[in-house]
Every structure is written in structure tokens, then in C-alpha cells.
Amino acid sequence: MTFVYDFEQGSKDQKDLLGGKGANLAEMTVLGLPVPPGFTITTEACRAFLEQGKEPDGLAEEVSAHLAALEQKMGKRLGDPEDPLLVSVRSGAKFSMPGMMETVLNVGLNDRSVQGLAAVAGGDERFAFDSYRRLLQMFGSTVLGLEASVFHEALDGLKADRGAKNDLDLGVEDLRELVATYKQLIHDHTGRDFPQEPREQLDMAVLAVFESWNTERAVLYRRQERIPGDLGTAVNVCSMVFGNGGQDSGTGVAFTRDPASGAQGVYGDYLQNAQGEDVVAGIRNTVPLADLEGIDKASYDELLGIMATLEGHYRDLCDIEFTIEHGKLWMLQTRVGKRTAEAAFRIACQLVDQGLIDEDEAVSRVTGAQLAQLMFPRFDAGSERVLIAKGMNASPGAAVGKAVFDSSTAVEWAERGEDVILVRRETNPDDLRGMVAAKGILTSRGGKTSHAAVVARGMGRTCVCGADSLDVDVKGTKMTAADATVISEGDMISIDGTTGEVFAGRVPVRDSLVVRHFEGDERAEDDHLVLAVERLMKHADHRRRLGVRANADTPEDAARARRFGAEGIGLCRTEHMFLGDRKALVEDLIVAGSTDEQEAALSALLPMQRDDFVGILKAMDGLPVTIRLIDPPLHEFLPDYTELSVSVALEDERGNRDSKHHKLLDAVKKLHEQNPMLGLRGVRLGIVIPGLFSMQARAILEAASALIKQGMDPQPEIMIPLVATVQELELVKADIIRVAGDVEDETGVKLKFKVGTMIELPRAVMAATEIAEQAEFFSFGTNDLTQMTWGFSRDDVEASFFGTYLDKGIFGVSPFESLDREGVGALVRLAVEKGRAARPDLHLGVCGEHGGDPDSIHFFDEVGLDYVSCSPFRVPVARLEAGRSAADAISDTA
Amino acid sequence: MTFVYDFEQGSKDQKDLLGGKGANLAEMTVLGLPVPPGFTITTEACRAFLEQGKEPDGLAEEVSAHLAALEQKMGKRLGDPEDPLLVSVRSGAKFSMPGMMETVLNVGLNDRSVQGLAAVAGGDERFAFDSYRRLLQMFGSTVLGLEASVFHEALDGLKADRGAKNDLDLGVEDLRELVATYKQLIHDHTGRDFPQEPREQLDMAVLAVFESWNTERAVLYRRQERIPGDLGTAVNVCSMVFGNGGQDSGTGVAFTRDPASGAQGVYGDYLQNAQGEDVVAGIRNTVPLADLEGIDKASYDELLGIMATLEGHYRDLCDIEFTIEHGKLWMLQTRVGKRTAEAAFRIACQLVDQGLIDEDEAVSRVTGAQLAQLMFPRFDAGSERVLIAKGMNASPGAAVGKAVFDSSTAVEWAERGEDVILVRRETNPDDLRGMVAAKGILTSRGGKTSHAAVVARGMGRTCVCGADSLDVDVKGTKMTAADATVISEGDMISIDGTTGEVFAGRVPVRDSLVVRHFEGDERAEDDHLVLAVERLMKHADHRRRLGVRANADTPEDAARARRFGAEGIGLCRTEHMFLGDRKALVEDLIVAGSTDEQEAALSALLPMQRDDFVGILKAMDGLPVTIRLIDPPLHEFLPDYTELSVSVALEDERGNRDSKHHKLLDAVKKLHEQNPMLGLRGVRLGIVIPGLFSMQARAILEAASALIKQGMDPQPEIMIPLVATVQELELVKADIIRVAGDVEDETGVKLKFKVGTMIELPRAVMAATEIAEQAEFFSFGTNDLTQMTWGFSRDDVEASFFGTYLDKGIFGVSPFESLDREGVGALVRLAVEKGRAARPDLHLGVCGEHGGDPDSIHFFDEVGLDYVSCSPFRVPVARLEAGRSAADAISDTA
């Protein structure tokens, strides 16, 4: 095993072995770019060190050999008292990682070589001692473990003593004194002297980098980001070049194109007579990179040439760190640069046009998250605003309207044309109409997976939730901010769902051109960004294997989903159809004392349900519409048990005994469940309440029948929720088949429909083979499957322990946001295998919220689902990610 | 494929092919016993018929061939007008199954052969027409599908008309008329005549048996009993013999030994001049079988010889049906006979003594369910009793005591030496002390898996639950039965947990000798039953691979479990230790506003917890004790949210505002969860509340340390509940290891303990490999695992839909009673494989209620767990079943 590679020996594809920084240094070296010579100690050496608890055998010898070669190349010896070779020691893991030791510069300096450095720098003792004190400071804090503040305090003390404003005001004698002070501090804190031997400095710095892999912060970061703990870091040892040797020297950063817009040109900053850390410290202002042309045209031209080489070579925007030492340009680092969402789309298309990448690669260069960013309206960047609170960024976008504190007011005001923001402590299903009517939703309680957040994301409504510094007084129709600002009903507020900010008053909003384009607004078509998005979406659609459907419960949502590119509805929930005006009928159904009363309520609901389905099937004419029979526990349609108990008790106490309320309370009490999520719901309702599911099936099939008569092509798929065992499905399916026969007989129309099931219980996963014998399709309900697999309920856990779990790195991300591949994902994979074993053409989809999550979409593609279904607003995101996943798969097998 | 076998061609081991009845008829025939000749049409023929929807090719020809052979053997032709061969047609599946067509006798009779039958019966026309009308009746109702009542009404009408009291009073002309009436009825109901052609009768009867496999009742029964739906039934065609041809004829049943006690001797009944169905109809009284010696000594002696042969051959108690036709003995059926629990144990030992079976076989002949029956006290069979209600048999036994309606009264009265029965509408954790104090528990609500039922079974307390005809008035300290009987506090009642019956007054109780023996009562040792139980238990212990531990939370339970043979504690719950006097401290802990207050509460709890663990570890000295850190959601220690809301609202209304109650309500509200089962509990509590788990770990380890100092050998195993991911376990385990180091330092005692986890979430199953890297043992919490896998909560579902599900055969048995092998069991198996892949010596147990369920125990043995843990009273049952499972495994591989 080789532990050390010269920069000449590596390439950019060796990030696993050399880390990101080392691989790119090697790549530039091999390209013939001016990189200061050096070598990289591999991640394997680090892993061996961590496993064995000591420096692995052979490492010291290899370092010696590469160091000797470096010395020969540079014509200097490390720390030579006459003319010292100095090196930087930098960590460089595969993934960049906060918390790890980063850099020690000027290794090789000691009490003697500092004089040599001064001599070769033309007697510049100040420069030499400044370099030495920097080494002591960095080595002391990062290698020897002293608090950085120990050095800062000494420096500040000295400056105060000398009346110096900044470091440059200190003279050579001051720095000499500072060096002595630093050495004393190191001795006091560690009990030993700063190592004077240059090679010992180097070895200690290397091991310190290795050890920093396991600092608490690095471990926590890896846990949160799900980076494996056993990768280890590489160490880059690079000969020093100095940008602070005079006016013919300097340091800078450059981008090969504009990271904000993607436009080609010269972007970056330059600082004359300075080192990188001075730029960070902000001692002097940088100048635009273009100004370098006037300062040092030769270096400038060389740099532009190198930038073109790098972009052509990396076939992407690169960012670059460079130093000029006495007119000689040195490349210190390069990497593929970060960029804005807009730039990402535009750059990808430009690179295709330049012939640098193909369209598959272009699609893989942009992300669904970036597209989502481009789809939300945003507050105008330059405008004034008054921040009054900050909550969680639950559903992105920018919304402005009058604050209202209850759903009826929201509906009423919206109907007369006002923009409103619905403000609640928390929301529940009763607030649905208000949420639909509002431009945005603001709550003071609940996390990113609270009712408000989930429903808002589903509808594409802007939402800020859990803004707990706001005191929301629903009865008093006002809220009070922490700074005592009071917002009353009708006052204008603005909420930013992308940042979680809440502003008093109206903040100007910019529309999303991309959405206007998806909505069919032709005026948006000529925009550069829209053109880029359109082009990559087209290619993604062309590439993707995975279908994309939408979750939609109304004809309006269905129509929008279709405009956004949905190829059907993957989840049409029917419970929302039982709210509003129909709530009284549903109450009758539940409170019904006799079968007759139940049947009467069902008969009254039938024509309404039929109309619902006619609307939706019409909007999706010719495309499949998966309709889920009613799922939630019945008491969701009744008043809250505790609230009703209190109000009935108070009525009684006041002598206003109301027997109707008592009857209702009895019903609520009877239906009250300790754990409604684990209670009488889904298929269980269908089996226990005779006629409920058949009513729904009849409504669907009568709707389909009517549309067929009108010459349309409805494609209903009836979906049974919460199935655990094939026996449940058998019973319900037999009933649906019977109803279908009846409807065909009555209408004389031949029906075409499917019957399938949700897979949302681990039990259903284990029984998937048997279930697939009865089900024509599976739709994975990954919300419930996540709840059951982990044994926690979305409604309860966010507030109580998700925060702690995310902080401690038990989750990298909430398993409700992104599919937990190891647990829930493994069950999905198992169900796919078991289901297809029984029915090879079993149609498979997913309709949980994960259907719109980029990472999860790649997983669903990988395990072979046929489609994902997500909220209409996520449909373009899902199309893009499905395309990216297919493009990745093609390049993987290429 | 051969579809038909003569009785000479089969054997008792061919039940799959020939059905139970056919296989045993063949076995007797081959043994040379006098079986009327006949043949069996196989289950394969039935399956072919059901698959193809028509008689399979070749069947008719085979039947013809076997019928011809039978005719030749008997010297008669089927339905010959002169001297007809008559046959019976009987179904016979592998498992006996209600709802299937059972028997048509006298096939072959028609308008002409009835005369022939009379002629050969010495001109006995009455006998011949009686036989004919029986054929019409049976054929009409079972083959042609008429309601049986149609014939009964005609018969009753005729008898009324003739003034006849019973069938025997009808003369030959009456029967002739009845035959005509029956034929007319058949014509009227089916539109065609009764088939006169004998072969057509036979073929129709055979197909009717095939079709009866799929009657609704048979399908439902199979679903409930989990009998595969595709086995099919065989059909037995047997030449008729008649026991009703005179005084030298008759019919009877015999047992080779007493099915009640197992004693050897002559047991059975005989009815002279009669057929089997007359015995059932109870027209005349039977005589004891021994009387046959005086009636027909030759047949009697022959029968006794045959009984000895059969018992020797089947090596078990057999029951037998026989007929004597004019002094000639015929065997119509035999099978291994049912017996009481007591007889099962005694017979098994006797057969070993007779050298007929070995001890492995003897152990496999008795069941844990039978042992459990023998362990409960029972009401004296002969005594008088007044039944006032019937509920569910939730926890077996017989309990007598004074009715009390709240826990404090139960405790108070029990302390002064009274026997009490705790009566509640339903119980909750607050009732625990009352349940411990009571002899039995009676509730008017909740099913077999309600809190009352589960806890009672765990404690071995008699419990009747869900006696919903009782109106329990807790405030009024009385209950009212459906017949208006009022039981007030202090009135004596008796409850039978084995039958679910509730009696007013005192019913005398018989103790279980077996329990007295287990408890060490030497006076019980000479009893025959006790000797048999002891002998088989000893062999079971010798054979079993699976260890048996007990679930016990107190030193008393631990000591009893040890007397009952437990080899350690598999589940010591710590939440019960937080009730009673300590509740105030726990409330402080939960309501605590600051870390200081929390720490104070924890410090106060520490010495109490330590004492708890000292007691339990002492009682189990030298054996492992698995202690589960606190699991339930915290609000279980606080008042009910709704009740408290109402009482606080009423206080406010009355102007008695109590700020302490408001503060408590705020805390309850804050901790209130929609789905507490899926909320902040288990390891989540340990991670979110700093110091809670470490306090418990410290208490355990300090207790162990103190006992080691006293020279004992405590073996604590610390178990973390509700782990979903290895990160949780890592965090908690690190904390425990740290505490252990501290305790070792403080006490100077070297500790020996294990840290492991429960596997009770599907997520933990999927991650079992990673978890096993941190866990030294897994204990399957199959209660929670069942809840999460199926997505239903034990507390909620029994009342709302379990009844319907059991009725409809969706479950054969509640998955909380017996492990659901296909779903939950498959997950257990997966976790075993995954866990052992990471740690081959991973110790595996189960501590859910299934640990005491016989069928589940066999499963746990099969998948390779190391032990089961169950309530102390189930320990002997588990030992026996573990032995049976091992004996089965040995005989399977032999």
C-alpha cells in the first residue's frame, strides 16, 4: 500500500484516496498548471492510523522520500537555517467537513530558520517574524490544542500596549516579542517547548490532521449528513508561496463565470501584497479581479488562460484560489463552484451549447431543489421590511395579505377579493377551507410536519409555522410579537415561507416566471431562464422511466397538475369531500342509531360524491385517477373530545342542559380512541360500517359510467387504504366487483377500472405476495409506513423530540421529509420484490409526501416503481428528478 | 393420477389424500377388522373438480370400476330392484369441518328397490319405507339444497294428523304417504323429480360433497381456523349395514379408556335396534356399553378385542362407532379420541408404562393449554349458582369475594383480610394496587386485550372483562345486572375466568393440586395427576433447548417465578415502580421548570429505585435479570387530560380558581399527545430527559454492587426500550458505560452486566445488523411489534373492530394472543438473521405476552431464540411447550 503521492501522481477522480483538495491539486499539476510542488498523504494512511491508534508502519519512510524529492525539486531543505523550505499542511477529506483541522502554514520555521527566511526575503525581518508568529499561533491552537483565544488575547494586549490599531502597525521588535510570548504560552499550556525540529513539526501537524477526523464537531456533522465515519481524511503538504512579499505579490479568488447568473466573464476579487487569511480578516478591501489586468497584465492573462483551461477541463464553473509571488502566478486550489439556482440552469445549457457536456449531463447538473426555488415567488430583494418574528420555513414562497384569525373570516374576505394570511396557533382539518382561501398560513405552534405545514405544502401555499415568539389570540383576533408589536385583524403582513420570516406591512413580491410558463403564460417564454428550464425539463421527460402523477382532491388541483405535467392522479383523497356542508350528513352517519339511519345518510352522500368524481375524472380524462376510499378515523369529523366535554360540563353547570349536545358527546366518547392513528380507520372502517365503501365505489363507477356515455375515457383506480392482510382486501374487493356489476347492469355501460391497495403497514409488506394476488396495483403510503415502521406519529413527535434527534445526529434529516432508505426504504424494496413475485406486471407507485422529495425519487426509481405521485406544485420537480435519476443510471452503466 | 381407492388400498397416514375418515377406515380394513366394504374418492378428485368446474376426466370410469368390484364382493347390485346394494356417501376432509355436507345414507333406494329391500328384510316394509324416506330427506336437503325444515314440517304435520307422538308410532302406510309427500316437495322445489336411477343418485351425492367444500360456512370456518382453502375433501362410499333390523341389531360408540380420567376400562354407550342417527335424536336412552356383554356376548368380546387392537395400533385412546347387524359386528369409524386435560396427562404416562410410546411422544401428547387448565382453581362442579352476567374469559380461574368498586377500597379491605373482587367499568394503571389486592377483576368494558385482561393474565389473577350487560356505577358503589339484580359494595360475588360467567353469592372453589405442587406443597405429591404432570415436566425440561424466564416486577413475583421453574427474569418493568407513593416525585420530575428541579426529583427517586432492584436481584440471585428502563409516555403518570380540563373549567366557573391545578393542566396539555403509543416514550424519553436513564442505570448498578459485596451473584441486564436506530442505542449505552465506571470507582466493586435492546419496532428489525453491533442481547417486544406491524393499538381496536374481524375470519385468532407468524413472525425471523449476522453469539429472547402462548413458543424455538419470558403463572406452560417443541424437532429429524 502506498501512503504518499506526489501531486504529479494523482488525478481529480481520486477523491476517495486523496480527498477533494488533493485530487484537484494533482489534476492541476498534471495539466501543467503552476501549482507549488508538494505531496498528499492518503486517506488510507489516516484510516490505518485511526484503526491502529499509531502512525502506520512505513508512513514515516514514505514521507521522508517524498520530502527529499520535494527538497531536491525546490533546491531547499525543510527548515534550513540558511534558506528554509517552508510547507503548508492542510486537511482534505472526500467531503468538506467543518470541525476538522484545516491548515497550518509556514511549517519549517524555527528560531534559526526565521533568520534564513528574512535573509532570502532581502532582509525583511518583519515578514519573517510575522510568518513565525503565524506558525506558532496556528500550530499552537490546532496541533497542540490551546484555545485560539489565548493567542488573540496576547496579540490584542500587545497592540493595546503599543497603541497599534491593526497588525500592520506592529514593528519587527513587537513581533519578535510576540514570538517569545507565544512560545512561553505554548510551554505554559503544554508543559513542553514548541518543537524546533522542522520534521517533528511536520509529523505532528500530519497526525493532528488525522486526529481531527474524530473531533466531536466532525463526528456530529458526519452523523447529521450521513457521511460514513470511516472514510478518513487526506493531508496535503505543499511548498509555501507568499503573496505578501511586496506590491508585485498578492492573492485572490476567481470564478470562471458568474455564480449568480451563469454569465461568462471575469468574476472574482484580488488583494495586493497579502495572504489568503488577510482577505478573510478583511483588513483591506479587495479589488475586482478585472483590475488585476492593470496591476500585472502577464499574470492576469495567464490566469484567464488557466481559467479557460480549467472550465474546459472540468466542464463546469470552477472557483479558484491563487497567489502571485513577485509576479509569478501560483494556483493554490480549484473546485467546481457553487452557484445559484438560476445560474445552475443557465450554465448547464451554455455548456451543452459549447459542446462541453451532453444533455444527460446537463440534466444531472441541476436539481429539483433548485427548480423548486425558481418556482416560488420571492420578496423583492431591495425593498424595506420590518421583521417581527421568525418561524420554520414550512412551505416556501412569499405571501402578503391581511391577517385573519379564523377560517370563516378568511373565506369571507377572500370571496370579496381580499388577499388574506390565515393566522392560527395551529391548524386542524376544520381550517381547510380557510387555508384554501388564504394566500399564506402562519402558525405559532407545530413543526415542519404539523398539519399546517403538510397541508400547505400539499396545496403549494406559503406557510411559516411554529413562530413561537408570536402570541396569537384567536378570540381577541390579534397577535403580539416579542417586541410588543400588535397585529390586529385586517392589518397587512408578509410571510416568507422560504426563510421563515414574518414581516409587518406589505413587502413587494416578485412572481416566478417559471411558474407562469408552466401555467401556459406565453409572455414568459422568451426569458433566458425559462428557456433553460424548458430545455432541461424536455430532456428529463425524454429520459425518465418513472411516471409522475399528482396528489389532487379537486378538479382545480387536477387541472393544474395536468398543466404542470402530471400523467394522472396518484392519490385522490376522499375525506376532504366529507367536510364543509356535508359534515352534518357525516355526523348523521356516525351518530346513526340504526342501519336505516346509516343508509339514509349514505344515500344522501352518494350523489354528492358522484359529482366530486365526475369533476376529477373529467379533468384527468384519458389519464389514470387513483381514488383512495375514506381513510381517517371517524372522530375527525366530530368535535374534539376534551373541548366538547368541557363545554357540555359548563352548560350543565349553568343549568342549560342540552340533550343534543349530550348525545353528541356520547358518540364522541364512544369513538374516542387512545391512539386514533392506530385505530378504526382505512379498510377497517369499510369492513365495520356496512355500505360505506360500496357507496364510494358506486359513486366512482357511476361517475365513470356517465362520462363514458359522454364519449370520454375515465380511468378510475379504486384504492383501499391501510390493508394489513389479504383477507381484508378480498372482502372489500368482492363488494366492489359486485357494485360494478350492478352499475353495469343499470347503465348498460361496460366499465374499465382497477382495484388496488396502499402499502402503508409493515404487515402489508410482509404479506405483499398474497396481497398482490388480489391487488392490481400497490401505492406506497410512505407517510404512514414511516410512522408505523419507526413507531412515531407525525403529529406528536416533531415538537417533543425531533429537534433533539436532529441536534444529536440521530437523524440526518427528518424521515418524513426524505425517505429513510435503511428502514422504510428496505421495506419498500421488500414489498416490490414480494409483490412482483406474485404478479410480474403489478403496477407500483408511491403517494406519500416522499413522492416529491428529490432523494426519495431517485430511490423509488432505483427500486423499480412505475410512478411517483406528489402535490401539483412538486410535479415539475419530480419530473426533473426522475429524469436525473434515469440519466445517472445511464451514465452508471455506460 | 388415481382418483379412487378401495378401503383395502389405504392407510391412516394418507389423510392428505383420503381424508381423516377414509384413512382410518382403510387402516381398520387393512388390520382385518370388520369394516363394511367400500371405497374412497380422493381429495385430488375434489380439487380437480373445483379447479375445472366439472367432474374430472376418468373419475366416472374409476367409480364404475370400484362400484363393480364392490357389487361383486357384496353379491348385490346398487339399487337392484330384487336385492339392492345400498351405500352411504360421506365427506371426509383432512381436518373435520363444520358446514360441509356430511352424510347421505341408503343411496340406491328408489320406488322399485324399496320393495326389494323389504323383501330381503323378511318383508319388513316399514323398515324399507322408513329407509327410503330417510334417503329422500337427506338427499333433498343436502344434495338438492332444500331447507331441512321443509321435510321436518311435513313429518310433524303427518304426526299431528295421525296423533303420533314419535316417528316409531307411524305405520307403513303413513311412511308410504310420507315418501310420496317428500317426492312431491322435491319436485315442487327443484322443478324435477327425485332421481330414480341409483348411479345418478350416487354421482350427484359425490359432487354435492365436493361442492360443499365451498359453502359459506365451511369457507368462514377455514378462514377462522387458518385451514388452507385448497385442500378439498375426500368422499367415502360405504356399503350400508343396518342396526335397526331387530333386537339382534344395534349401534354404539366406545372409548378405549375413560376420556375424563384416562382410566382403563369399558367406556361407551349402546342402543339396541337402532341406527346412529336415532342415538343423536335421543328417541330412546342408551345403555352403558358394559351391558352389551349381557345382550350379545360374542359381539361384545369381539368389540373388546378390536378396541385392544386399535389402542395398541394407534398407541392412543381411540373412539369408535360400530353397528351390529343381526349379531354381526361392523366397525363404521374410529379416530384418536378427545379427552380432558387430566386424562391427557395420565394417559400419556400410562402409555409410556405400557411400552406403547416413549417419553418424547408422551410429552407431545399433552399441551400447555391443558396444563394451564389444570393450574386454575375451579368452581365445584356440583354446586348451585346464580348466573347474573357473562363476559369474556379474560384470565382463567375461579375467584370469590366481596364486590368493591375502587382500588383504595380493594386495598383497604384486603389488608384487613377480606377477599375482594375489584369491579370497574374498565381499568387503568392507577388500578394496579387494587388489582394486586383483589382475588379477581370484573369489568363491564374492554376485550381480552384490554388493560384489565392483560394485567390480570400477567399477574395470574382471575378476570372477566367486557360483561357489558352489567351497569357498573362506580360512584354509587353498585352494579345492576340485566335482570335488575343489584350488587352493592360488600356483596359476595363469584367470577369464573375460564368461562366468563359472573355469579351472585359464593360458589365453592376447588384448589389446583398442580399449583400446590409447584409451590412446594408436599401433600400434593402423591396425587396421580400430580405424578403424571411432574413426570412429563421433568422430561420436557430435559429435552428443551429454549430457556424459560419470567416477566416479574417485584421480589414476590420473582420468587414465585423461580419456584415455578423460571431461569431468570426476561422483563422487569420499571414503570410500575413509579406509581403509588412515588407518583408525587414523578409529577415533580415531569412538571419541573428547571434542570435543578429535575435533578432533585431524580435524586429522590434514586435510592427508592435502588431498593427495588436490590429486592429483585436478590430473589433471582445467580440468574439473569433483564431490567427495562422506563418505557411509557410520561403523561401516564399524570391525570387524564379531558377529566382534568373539565374539573378545572368547573372550578373556574364556580369561582374556585386553583392556580396549582392550572399549572398541572398546562403540563398535561403540553404533554398531551394525539397518539401516545407513537409518541415520546422509551429510549426517546431517555434521550430527551437528561439524567433519567442514568439514574435508573445507577440504581441498578449500585444495587448489583451492594449485593456483590454481600457475596451474591447478581446478573443484571439493562434493556433499552423502543430503539429504532443504532444511534439511539449508542448514545444511551455510552451513558450507561460511563455510569458503570463511576459506580465501580465509588464502590471499588467490579461490575458484570449486559446492555441490550428491545426489538419492538419494524425499523429496529430492518436495522438489526447495525443494532446488534452495539447490543449484547435482543429481547423481542412482540406486543408493540404487533401493534406497529399491523398499525393498530391494543387499547383501541378490540372494542371497535376485532370482533368483526374474528367473525369474518380476517383473523383466526387475535394476533395479540398468538403470534402472527406471516407478518410479525417474519419480522422476528428477519431480525434474528440480521442480528446474528453481526454478532453470532447475540443472546435472543422474547418478553411480549406471546412468550407464554403455546403456538408462539414453538415458533420462537424454531427461529432459534434462546429463551421466552412470560408471566410467572405461564412459566410451567412455557417449559412444557418448549419441551414439546424440542421433542417434535427430534422426531421430525429422526
Side-chain angles (χ1 to χ4, degrees), chain A residues 223 226 445 640-642 645-646 649-650 653-654 669 672-681 683-685 687-688 722 724-725 727-728 730-731 761-764 766-767 770 787-797 800-801 804-805 808-811 820 822-824 826-827 830 834, chain B residues 223 226 445 640-642 645-646 649-650 653-654 669 672-681 683-685 687-688 722 724-725 727-728 730-731 761-764 766-767 770 787-797 800-801 804-805 808-811 820 822-824 826-827 830 834:
Chain A
R223 242 199 227 145
R226 286 289 181 272
R445 282 198 192 171
D640 176 76
Y641 174 46
T642 301
S645 296
V646 169
L650 288 176
E653 178 75 11
R654 290 164 191 162
K669 205 170 186 171
H672 180 69
E673 292 179 311
Q674 293 298 318
N675 297 280
M677 190 75 72
L678 302 175
L680 180 58
R681 47 176 289 231
V683 68
R684 300 161 190 168
L685 277 178
I687 289 175
V688 167
L722 218 74
T725 163
Q727 282 88 351
E728 293 169 322
E730 275 171 7
L731 286 171
L761 296 174
R763 181 63 173 68
M766 303 316 282
E770 294 75 42
Q787 299 195 104
M788 305 305 176
T789 303
W790 283 86
F792 47 52
S793 114
R794 200 165 67 175
D795 293 341
D796 293 313
V797 294
S800 62
F801 68 85
T804 310
Y805 267 43
K808 291 192 187 271
I810 296 171
F811 302 142
D820 154 41
E822 291 75 32
V824 181
L827 286 170
L830 203 57
K834 284 174 178 271
Chain B
R223 243 200 228 145
R226 286 288 181 274
R445 282 197 191 171
D640 176 76
Y641 175 44
T642 301
S645 295
V646 169
L650 289 176
E653 177 75 9
R654 290 165 192 161
K669 204 169 188 172
H672 180 68
E673 293 178 310
Q674 293 298 319
N675 297 280
M677 190 76 71
L678 301 175
L680 181 59
R681 47 177 291 234
V683 68
R684 301 161 190 171
L685 278 178
I687 288 174
V688 167
L722 217 72
T725 164
Q727 281 89 349
E728 293 169 320
E730 274 171 8
L731 286 171
L761 296 175
R763 181 65 174 66
M766 302 317 282
E770 292 75 42
Q787 300 195 106
M788 304 306 176
T789 304
W790 284 86
F792 47 51
S793 116
R794 198 164 69 176
D795 294 340
D796 293 313
V797 294
S800 62
F801 69 86
T804 309
Y805 267 42
K808 292 194 186 271
I810 297 172
F811 303 142
D820 155 40
E822 291 75 31
V824 182
L827 286 171
L830 203 56
K834 284 174 177 270

